[in-house]
Structure formats: C-alpha cells, structure tokens
Amino acid sequence: MTHNSKQPCEPRIAVYPGSFDPVTLGHIDIIQRAAKQFDKLIVAVLNNLSKNPLFTVEERKELLRQTTSHIPNVEIDSFRDLLVNYMDDKQGHVIVRGIRSVTDFEYELQLASTNQKLNPRVETIFMMTNPKYSYLSSSMVKEIARFKGEVVELVTPEVETALREKFNNID
Ligand code: ADP
C-alpha cells in the first residue's frame, strides 16, 4: 500500500479584530475583501473595558451580523483575552488589520511587532482602505450622529437606525 505523506489541507482562518463601535462601510469593505482570501474570517469584537464604548459588545456583534449576513464564510465573535491567545483558541493563522493613513500605520506596526513577538506562529496582514473610506472612522460617525447629522453614506441602514435610537435615548 502506498502511503500518501500529504496532510489534508488545514482551513485558512483569519481574524479581523477591532472595536467596531459601530461597524462602518470602511470595515465592511475590508471584511468583504478579506473574506475572499481565507476559508473563514472571524470578525472579533474586542471587549475592552478601558475604552468607553457607545454600543455594548452584544449590540456591536448584532450589527456586524446584520451587515455581513450576505458573506457565508464570515463569523462574528468577541474576545477579552490577549489577541494572540485568542488566535490560538480559534486556530487562526492571520490577523487582518485595515490601514487608512500613516498615523494608522505607526500604531499598527507597533501592534503587529508586539503580536509577532508574543506569538510567532501568527502573521499580521494589512489591507489598504478603499480610498473612498480613507477618512471614515467609528468615532467620526458617532460624532456626526450625536449632532443629528447625515450618516447614510457612512454606515448601513441598520447601523443608522441603531445610532438614532441610541442618541435619542441618551439626549
Ligand atoms: P480599533 O479600536 O482596534 O482600532 P476599529 O474598530 O476602529 O478598532 O478598527 C478596526 C480595524 O479596522 C483597524 O485595523 C482599523 O485601522 C480598520 N479600519 C477602521 N476604519 C477603516 C476604514 N475606513 N477603512 C479601512 N480600515 C479601517
């Protein structure tokens, strides 16, 4: 009997971590493009108590689920552990991050270098923003929505509604 030394191919799993408070069209663009490159893309909401989020982790996950339901290989999750440990738990190979500017790059380089040191098994890859979203951030969206400005071209209708409800309840 001939022995086939080839192992069955492991699925390529990537993790896109972030605050997603809330998810914007810039994030969705990265999710769509990254999902094409891997067997599975886990979008992981960071449960970080030191930031002061507008939406709870559950709300952020629900908005991500609604806005990515058309992409079959995307899974929504959250984590509070160190990212590199979470990568081990999920058997993830690659961390995906988006870059909008030189300012993003400096911070991301520091983050990727630290993660590389902590867990050399895991690679970080960067995806350049779609130029039409290069100025777009969750904090800008929140600022506009807080003052009842128009966010239709920045987020999905579900997120727009959630922002309106949130600020109506706060004000
Ligand atoms: P974090 O607090 O981890 O920066 P964010 O939710 O703000 O979380 O962003 C998550 C990731 O998405 C980061 O890599 C960020 O650079 C990227 N990102 C945010 N907005 C955009 C955008 N408009 N275009 C491309 N990437 C983006």
Side-chain angles (χ1 to χ4, degrees):
M1 200 172 86
T2 52
H3 180 73
N4 183 354
S5 61
K6 273 195 184 163
Q7 297 290 325
C9 238
E10 262 184 78
R12 300 285 303 157
I13 300 173
V15 172
Y16 179 32
S19 310
F20 305 106
D21 184 40
V23 58
T24 68
L25 295 186
H27 295 129
I28 295 169
D29 178 64
I30 297 281
I31 293 170
Q32 275 169 333
R33 287 157 54 201
K36 288 188 194 149
Q37 308 300 325
F38 300 96
D39 297 312
K40 179 157 92 174
L41 178 71
I42 304 172
V43 182
V45 176
L46 173 61
N47 193 343
N48 183 347
L49 298 175
S50 67
K51 284 199 178 178
N52 191 9
L54 178 65
F55 291 99
T56 65
V57 170
E58 273 319 308
E59 288 170 333
R60 283 180 267 162
K61 282 168 70 175
E62 187 50 35
L63 289 171
L64 275 163
R65 264 186 224 110
Q66 289 170 1
T67 47
T68 60
S69 57
H70 60 291
I71 320 171
N73 61 334
V74 168
E75 189 181 297
I76 309 300
D77 192 22
S78 59
F79 70 105
R80 56 168 72 236
D81 197 2
L82 210 55
L83 177 59
V84 287
N85 295 344
Y86 177 75
M87 295 300 290
D88 281 341
D89 288 350
K90 292 288 165 180
Q91 296 292 298
H93 304 84
V94 170
I95 298 168
V96 174
R97 295 286 288 176
I99 299 262
R100 282 162 296 188
S101 61
V102 177
T103 329
D104 268 355
F105 178 76
E106 289 204 11
Y107 170 71
E108 294 295 339
L109 180 63
Q110 196 181 4
L111 208 64
S113 309
T114 309
N115 287 333
Q116 161 74 26
K117 200 153 191 71
L118 293 173
N119 191 344
R121 186 186 69 79
V122 174
E123 200 65 67
T124 299
I125 68 157
F126 297 110
M127 298 193 70
M128 295 302 152
T129 183
N130 180 326
K132 64 181 178 192
Y133 302 129
S134 61
Y135 61 91
L136 182 52
S137 68
S138 299
S139 39
M140 194 184 77
V141 165
K142 284 183 277 190
E143 209 53 25
I144 298 171
R146 183 186 302 274
F147 296 107
K148 314 273 183 263
E150 209 44 273
V151 291
V152 272
E153 287 180 16
L154 312 178
V155 296
T156 60
E158 293 92 342
V159 174
E160 193 198 351
T161 306
L163 280 163
R164 198 172 323 114
E165 283 170 4
K166 195 57 105 176
F167 285 118
N168 280 344
N169 289 338
I170 290 175
D171 300 335

Coordinates of all heavy atoms in Angstrom, one line a residue, residues 16-22 24-27 29-30 33 46 51 96-100 104 107-108 111 127-130 133-138, ligand 1:
Y16 N -10.2 39.3 12.1 CA -10.2 40.7 12.0 C -10.7 41.3 13.3 O -11.9 41.3 13.5 CB -11.1 41.1 10.8 CG -11.3 42.6 10.5 CD1 -10.2 43.5 10.7 CD2 -12.5 43.1 10.0 CE1 -10.4 44.8 10.4 CE2 -12.6 44.4 9.7 CZ -11.6 45.3 9.9 OH -11.7 46.6 9.6
P17 N -9.8 41.7 14.1 CA -10.2 42.2 15.4 C -10.4 43.8 15.4 O -9.8 44.5 14.6 CB -9.0 41.9 16.3 CG -7.8 42.0 15.4 CD -8.3 41.7 14.0
G18 N -11.2 44.2 16.3 CA -11.4 45.7 16.4 C -12.5 46.0 17.4 O -13.1 45.1 18.0
S19 N -12.8 47.3 17.5 CA -13.8 47.8 18.4 C -15.2 47.8 17.8 O -16.2 47.5 18.4 CB -13.5 49.2 18.9 OG -12.2 49.3 19.4
F20 N -15.2 48.1 16.5 CA -16.5 48.1 15.7 C -17.6 48.8 16.5 O -18.7 48.3 16.6 CB -16.8 46.7 15.3 CG -15.8 46.0 14.6 CD1 -15.0 45.0 15.2 CD2 -15.4 46.3 13.2 CE1 -14.0 44.3 14.5 CE2 -14.4 45.7 12.6 CZ -13.7 44.7 13.2
D21 N -17.3 50.0 16.9 CA -18.3 50.8 17.8 C -18.8 52.0 17.1 O -18.4 53.1 17.5 CB -17.6 51.1 19.1 CG -18.6 51.7 20.1 OD1 -19.7 51.3 20.1 OD2 -18.1 52.7 20.8
P22 N -19.6 51.9 16.1 CA -20.2 50.7 15.4 C -19.4 50.4 14.1 O -18.5 51.2 13.7 CB -21.6 51.2 15.1 CG -21.4 52.7 14.7 CD -20.3 53.2 15.6
T24 N -18.6 50.4 10.3 CA -18.8 51.3 9.2 C -18.7 50.7 7.9 O -18.2 49.5 7.8 CB -17.8 52.5 9.3 OG1 -16.5 51.9 9.0 CG2 -17.7 53.1 10.7
L25 N -19.0 51.4 6.8 CA -18.8 50.9 5.5 C -17.3 50.6 5.2 O -17.0 49.7 4.4 CB -19.3 51.8 4.4 CG -20.9 52.0 4.4 CD1 -21.3 52.9 3.2 CD2 -21.6 50.7 4.5
G26 N -16.4 51.3 5.9 CA -15.0 51.1 5.7 C -14.6 49.7 6.3 O -13.9 48.9 5.6
H27 N -15.2 49.3 7.4 CA -14.9 48.0 8.0 C -15.5 46.9 7.0 O -14.9 45.9 6.8 CB -15.6 47.8 9.3 CG -15.1 48.7 10.5 ND1 -15.9 49.5 11.2 CD2 -13.8 48.8 10.9 CE1 -15.2 50.1 12.1 NE2 -13.9 49.7 12.0
D29 N -16.1 47.0 3.9 CA -15.2 46.8 2.7 C -14.0 45.9 3.0 O -13.7 45.0 2.2 CB -14.8 48.2 2.3 CG -13.9 48.1 1.0 OD1 -14.3 47.7 0.0 OD2 -12.7 48.5 1.2
I30 N -13.4 46.1 4.1 CA -12.2 45.2 4.5 C -12.7 43.8 4.7 O -12.1 42.8 4.2 CB -11.6 45.7 5.8 CG1 -11.0 47.1 5.6 CG2 -10.5 44.7 6.3 CD1 -9.6 47.2 4.9
R33 N -13.4 42.1 1.4 CA -12.2 41.7 0.6 C -11.4 40.7 1.3 O -10.8 39.8 0.7 CB -11.4 43.0 0.4 CG -12.0 44.0 -0.6 CD -11.5 45.4 -0.4 NE -10.1 45.5 -0.4 CZ -9.4 46.6 0.1 NH1 -10.1 47.5 0.7 NH2 -8.1 46.6 0.1
L46 N -13.5 43.4 20.2 CA -12.7 43.5 21.4 C -13.5 44.0 22.6 O -14.1 45.1 22.5 CB -11.5 44.4 21.2 CG -10.6 44.7 22.4 CD1 -10.0 43.4 23.0 CD2 -9.5 45.7 22.0
K51 N -11.8 51.2 27.1 CA -12.5 52.2 26.2 C -13.9 52.4 26.7 O -14.4 51.6 27.4 CB -12.5 51.6 24.8 CG -11.1 51.7 24.1 CD -11.3 51.6 22.6 CE -9.9 51.7 21.9 NZ -10.0 51.6 20.5
V96 N -6.0 40.2 10.5 CA -6.2 41.2 9.4 C -6.4 42.6 10.1 O -7.2 42.7 11.0 CB -7.5 40.9 8.6 CG1 -7.8 42.0 7.6 CG2 -7.3 39.6 7.9
R97 N -5.7 43.6 9.6 CA -6.0 45.0 10.1 C -6.1 45.9 8.9 O -5.5 45.6 7.8 CB -4.9 45.5 11.0 CG -4.8 44.7 12.3 CD -5.8 45.0 13.3 NE -5.7 46.3 13.9 CZ -6.5 46.8 14.7 NH1 -7.7 46.2 15.0 NH2 -6.3 48.0 15.2
G98 N -6.8 47.0 9.0 CA -7.0 47.9 7.9 C -6.1 49.1 8.1 O -5.9 49.5 9.3
I99 N -5.6 49.7 7.1 CA -4.8 50.9 7.2 C -5.4 52.0 6.4 O -5.7 51.9 5.2 CB -3.3 50.6 6.6 CG1 -2.7 49.5 7.3 CG2 -2.5 51.9 6.5 CD1 -1.7 49.9 8.4
R100 N -5.6 53.2 7.0 CA -6.1 54.3 6.3 C -5.1 55.4 6.1 O -5.2 56.2 5.1 CB -7.2 55.0 7.2 CG -8.5 54.2 7.2 CD -9.4 54.7 8.4 NE -8.8 54.3 9.6 CZ -9.3 54.4 10.8 NH1 -10.5 54.9 10.9 NH2 -8.7 54.0 11.9
D104 N -2.3 55.6 11.1 CA -2.7 54.2 11.4 C -1.5 53.3 11.3 O -1.3 52.4 12.2 CB -3.7 53.7 10.3 CG -5.1 53.9 10.6 OD1 -5.4 54.4 11.8 OD2 -6.0 53.7 9.8
Y107 N 0.9 53.0 14.5 CA 0.3 52.3 15.6 C 0.2 50.8 15.2 O 0.5 49.9 16.1 CB -1.1 52.9 15.8 CG -2.0 52.1 16.8 CD1 -1.7 52.1 18.1 CD2 -3.1 51.4 16.3 CE1 -2.5 51.3 19.0 CE2 -3.9 50.7 17.2 CZ -3.6 50.6 18.5 OH -4.4 49.9 19.4
E108 N -0.2 50.5 14.0 CA -0.4 49.1 13.6 C 0.9 48.4 13.6 O 1.0 47.2 13.9 CB -1.1 49.1 12.2 CG -2.5 49.6 12.2 CD -3.5 48.7 13.0 OE1 -3.2 47.6 13.3 OE2 -4.5 49.3 13.4
L111 N 1.7 47.4 17.1 CA 0.8 46.3 17.5 C 1.3 45.0 16.8 O 1.4 43.9 17.5 CB -0.6 46.6 17.0 CG -1.8 46.1 17.7 CD1 -1.8 46.7 19.1 CD2 -3.1 46.5 17.0
M127 N -4.6 45.5 5.1 CA -5.3 45.8 3.8 C -5.5 47.3 3.8 O -5.9 47.9 4.8 CB -6.6 45.1 3.8 CG -6.4 43.6 3.8 SD -7.9 42.6 3.5 CE -8.1 43.0 1.8
M128 N -5.1 47.9 2.6 CA -5.3 49.3 2.4 C -6.8 49.6 2.3 O -7.5 48.9 1.6 CB -4.6 49.8 1.2 CG -3.1 49.6 1.2 SD -2.4 50.5 2.6 CE -1.0 49.5 2.9
T129 N -7.1 50.7 2.9 CA -8.5 51.2 2.8 C -8.9 51.4 1.4 O -8.1 51.8 0.5 CB -8.7 52.5 3.6 OG1 -10.1 52.8 3.6 CG2 -7.9 53.6 3.1
N130 N -10.2 51.2 1.1 CA -10.7 51.7 -0.2 C -10.7 53.2 -0.1 O -11.2 53.8 0.9 CB -12.2 51.2 -0.3 CG -12.8 51.6 -1.5 OD1 -12.6 52.7 -2.1 ND2 -13.7 50.8 -2.0
Y133 N -13.2 55.4 1.6 CA -13.4 55.4 3.0 C -12.2 55.7 3.9 O -12.2 55.5 5.1 CB -13.8 53.9 3.4 CG -15.1 53.4 2.7 CD1 -15.1 52.2 2.1 CD2 -16.2 54.2 2.7 CE1 -16.2 51.8 1.4 CE2 -17.3 53.8 2.0 CZ -17.3 52.5 1.3 OH -18.4 52.1 0.7
S134 N -11.2 56.4 3.2 CA -10.0 56.6 3.9 C -10.1 57.6 5.1 O -9.3 57.6 6.0 CB -8.9 57.1 3.0 OG -9.4 58.3 2.4
Y135 N -11.2 58.4 5.1 CA -11.4 59.4 6.1 C -12.3 58.9 7.2 O -12.6 59.5 8.2 CB -12.0 60.7 5.5 CG -13.3 60.3 4.9 CD1 -14.5 60.5 5.6 CD2 -13.4 59.8 3.6 CE1 -15.7 60.1 5.1 CE2 -14.6 59.5 3.1 CZ -15.8 59.6 3.8 OH -17.0 59.2 3.3
L136 N -12.9 57.7 7.0 CA -14.0 57.2 7.8 C -13.6 56.4 9.0 O -12.8 55.5 9.0 CB -14.9 56.3 6.9 CG -16.1 55.7 7.4 CD1 -17.0 56.7 8.0 CD2 -16.9 54.9 6.3
S137 N -14.1 56.8 10.2 CA -13.9 56.1 11.4 C -15.1 56.0 12.2 O -16.1 56.8 12.1 CB -12.8 56.8 12.2 OG -13.3 58.1 12.7
S138 N -15.2 55.1 13.1 CA -16.4 54.9 14.0 C -16.6 56.2 14.8 O -17.7 56.6 15.1 CB -16.2 53.7 14.9 OG -16.1 52.5 14.2
Ligands
ADP1 P1 -9.5 49.6 16.9 O1 -10.1 50.2 18.1 O2 -8.9 48.2 17.1 O3 -8.7 50.4 16.0 P2 -11.7 49.9 15.0 O4 -13.0 49.3 15.0 O5 -11.6 51.4 15.0 O6 -10.9 49.2 16.1 O7 -10.9 49.4 13.6 C1 -10.7 48.0 13.4 C2 -9.7 47.9 12.2 O8 -10.4 48.4 11.1 C3 -8.4 48.7 12.4 O9 -7.4 47.9 11.7 C4 -8.7 49.9 11.6 O10 -7.5 50.5 11.1 C5 -9.5 49.4 10.5 N1 -10.4 50.5 9.9 C6 -11.2 51.3 10.6 N2 -11.9 52.1 9.7 C7 -11.4 51.8 8.5 C8 -11.7 52.3 7.1 N3 -12.5 53.3 6.9 N4 -11.0 51.7 6.1 C9 -10.1 50.7 6.3 N5 -9.9 50.2 7.5 C10 -10.5 50.7 8.6

